[in-house]
């Protein structure tokens, strides 16, 4: 069955967010191109378990599909598009996709030059290149279980909402772990080796964003994203300077927690996953590295005597990059 489905499958028909991915996704499952070695999971095994699941049966009825491709595309779309406005964590890390057991990531270093006399050569150079090794052997997973009779009787709208809820739970868990990792970076390792002081303790203002940006710029990095709790966002939105210096329109996507971009080129994200009174700005290309080996893979399982469920899982690793590319306020 796996070969037949793979022959029917055309990659460009799969959900757009899975095109050109370099880690294992549902695209690899459908085209039969995955064998991660994770408990000997293979594409054919996942496909077989999916097609035998009562949950899959509901999708088939909904799509009126003649083969598995359309049904699995439908399920993949539900998982990828599940709204999770609190889950902003991925915005603040550099995502590195791989199918390898470990990957070495280069952290760029600044070179140096010096003046010399005419025709005089120099061997002056800057800091030697450094690398971070990521081993994506950790795992996030979320699951839901239903009575088989319930699934047989459930409408598609109900079943799809519950699948989306499982995906949202996974996204929020992942996001919280990423934010907690950034928050745990020691103050002495941040830009300026210290916290940035709020202009007015207990109230966040646009001037504070400028100071965060300046702290990172002073380390020769470029802060491009900032996150905060809704309490601090409330202060900021009342600041006339913020209103005058913020670009909205295409830079707002409330479903992803994105609330605009300042003229400094910094995107603003808001989530209750962020500690109150703390505001953090990062150069998201260099601050923290996040390796994905498997991203939101959907599998099904059976629990005798009469329960069935779906599981969504991600395999990952997190390591610090250039922590001087991160600045924080704790008393806003």
């Amino acid at each position: 069955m796996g070969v037949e489905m793979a022959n029917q499958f055309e990659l460009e028909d799969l959900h757009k967010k899975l095109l050109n991915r370099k880690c294992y996704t549902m695209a690899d499952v459908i085209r039969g191109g995955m064998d991660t070695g994770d408990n000997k999971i293979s594409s054919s095994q996942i496909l077989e378990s999916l097609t035998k699941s009562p949950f899959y049966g509901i999708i088939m009825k909904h799509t009126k599909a003649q083969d598995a491709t359309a049904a699995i595309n439908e399920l993949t779309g539900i998982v990828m598009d599940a709204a999770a406005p609190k889950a902003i964590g991925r915005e603040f890390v550099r995502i590195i996709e791989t199918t390898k057991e470990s990957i070495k990531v280069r952290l760029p270093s600044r070179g140096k030059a010096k003046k010399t006399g005419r025709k005089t050569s120099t061997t002056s150079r800057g800091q030697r290149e450094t690398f971070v090794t990521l081993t994506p052997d950790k795992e996030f997973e979320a699951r839901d279980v239903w009575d088989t009779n319930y699934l047989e009787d459930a409408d598609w709208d109900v079943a799809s909402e519950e699948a989306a809820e499982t995906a949202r739970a996974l996204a929020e868990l992942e996001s919280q772990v990423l934010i907690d990792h950034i928050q745990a970076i020691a103050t002495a390792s941040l830009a300026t080796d210290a916290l940035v002081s709020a202009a007015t303790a207990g109230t966040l203002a646009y001037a504070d964003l400028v100071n965060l940006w300046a702290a990172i710029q002073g380390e020769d990095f470029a802060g491009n994203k900032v996150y905060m709790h809704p309490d601090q966002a409330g202060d900021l939105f009342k600041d006339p300077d913020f209103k005058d210096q913020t670009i909205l329109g295409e830079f707002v996507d409330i479903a992803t927690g994105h609330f605009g971009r300042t003229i400094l080129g910094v995107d603003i994200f808001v989530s209750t996953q962020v500690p109150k009174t703390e505001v953090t700005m990062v150069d998201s290309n260099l601050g923290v590295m996040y390796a994905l080996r498997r991203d939101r893979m959907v599998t099904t399982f059976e629990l005798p005597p009469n329960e069935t469920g779906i599981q969504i899982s991600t395999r990952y690793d997190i390591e610090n990059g250039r922590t001087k590319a991160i600045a924080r306020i704790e008393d806003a």
Side-chain angles (χ1 to χ4, degrees):
M1 180 181 294
V3 174
E4 180 182 351
M5 290 178 182
N7 290 335
Q8 294 170 344
F9 173 67
E10 295 181 2
L11 184 59
E12 60 268 22
D13 291 335
L14 189 63
H15 198 261
K16 291 180 180 179
K17 292 183 180 179
L18 296 186
L19 292 176
N20 303 317
R21 297 293 301 275
K22 296 179 181 179
C23 60
Y24 291 119
T25 69
M26 291 301 290
D28 299 290
V29 170
I30 297 175
R31 64 187 174 191
M34 186 193 78
D35 186 355
T36 68
D38 307 339
N39 299 319
K40 302 300 180 182
I41 295 174
S42 67
S43 298
S44 60
Q45 289 173 315
I46 294 175
L47 282 172
E48 184 177 359
S49 68
L50 278 169
T51 55
K52 289 181 178 179
S53 168
F55 185 83
Y56 175 84
I58 296 179
I59 305 175
M60 288 290 286
K61 291 178 183 177
H62 169 70
T63 60
K64 296 182 173 61
Q66 298 301 311
D67 57 65
T69 302
I72 296 177
N73 283 352
E74 181 91 7
L75 179 58
T76 301
I78 291 169
V79 170
M80 298 300 293
D81 290 336
K86 294 199 305 182
I88 63 174
R90 282 197 184 193
E91 295 289 341
F92 296 88
V93 296
R94 177 183 169 189
I95 296 176
I96 300 153
E97 298 178 340
T98 184
T99 56
K100 300 177 181 178
E101 292 184 3
S102 66
I103 183 171
K104 184 178 287 188
V105 180
R106 172 181 171 271
L107 297 178
S109 299
R110 293 180 60 82
K112 292 183 180 180
K114 71 176 184 179
K115 293 181 179 180
T116 63
R118 186 178 181 184
K119 296 183 179 180
T120 302
S121 63
T122 176
T123 58
S124 176
R125 63 174 295 167
Q127 178 183 3
R128 301 292 180 180
E129 299 297 343
T130 56
F131 296 84
V132 171
T133 299
L134 295 110
T135 304
D137 57 2
K138 305 176 183 68
E139 188 170 351
F140 298 120
E141 71 97 6
R143 62 176 62 192
D144 204 347
V145 179
W146 304 282
D147 180 276
T148 304
N149 293 335
Y150 170 78
L151 278 183
E152 290 174 348
D153 297 337
D155 290 333
W156 167 244
D157 289 346
V158 174
S160 61
E161 285 177 5
E162 293 184 350
E165 175 62 17
T166 305
R168 181 204 59 76
L170 180 74
E172 290 191 354
L173 171 63
E174 174 194 63
S175 176
Q176 190 66 70
V177 168
L178 292 172
I179 289 173
D180 289 348
H181 180 93
I182 297 171
Q183 292 298 121
I185 295 173
T187 297
S189 298
L190 300 175
T192 73
D193 305 326
L195 297 174
V196 175
S197 298
T200 301
T203 302
L204 183 67
Y206 179 70
D208 297 317
L209 298 190
V210 175
N211 290 338
L212 287 169
W213 176 85
I216 295 175
Q217 287 285 329
E219 300 286 356
D220 291 321
F221 297 113
N224 63 341
K225 295 180 181 179
V226 63
Y227 63 70
M228 64 193 70
H229 188 275
D231 286 2
Q232 281 60 57
D235 291 337
L236 194 62
F237 295 162
K238 297 173 187 175
D239 185 342
D241 289 338
F242 173 76
K243 295 176 184 178
D244 293 341
Q245 307 298 328
T246 302
I247 307 169
L248 300 175
E250 63 181 299
F251 300 110
V252 173
D253 185 355
I254 304 303
T256 61
H258 190 187
F259 280 76
R261 175 178 295 175
T262 75
I263 61 170
L264 299 173
V266 179
D267 287 303
I268 301 161
F269 291 83
V270 179
S271 173
T272 54
Q273 292 188 329
V274 179
K276 291 183 179 180
T277 77
E278 297 191 14
V279 179
T280 302
M281 186 178 292
V282 306
D283 180 334
S284 61
N285 296 311
L286 291 170
V288 173
M289 309 290 114
Y290 182 48
L292 288 173
R293 190 179 182 196
R294 182 202 318 140
D295 189 18
R296 285 171 280 188
M297 187 72 69
V298 182
T299 55
T300 58
F301 58 91
E302 305 299 319
L303 294 176
N306 65 340
E307 290 186 321
T308 188
I310 65 167
Q311 173 181 286
I312 306 172
S313 64
T314 293
R315 201 171 189 197
Y316 72 98
D317 193 19
I318 313 171
E319 295 289 346
N320 290 340
R322 300 293 190 197
T323 59
K324 296 298 181 184
I326 301 172
R328 182 184 306 131
I329 291 175
E330 287 191 353
D331 57 351

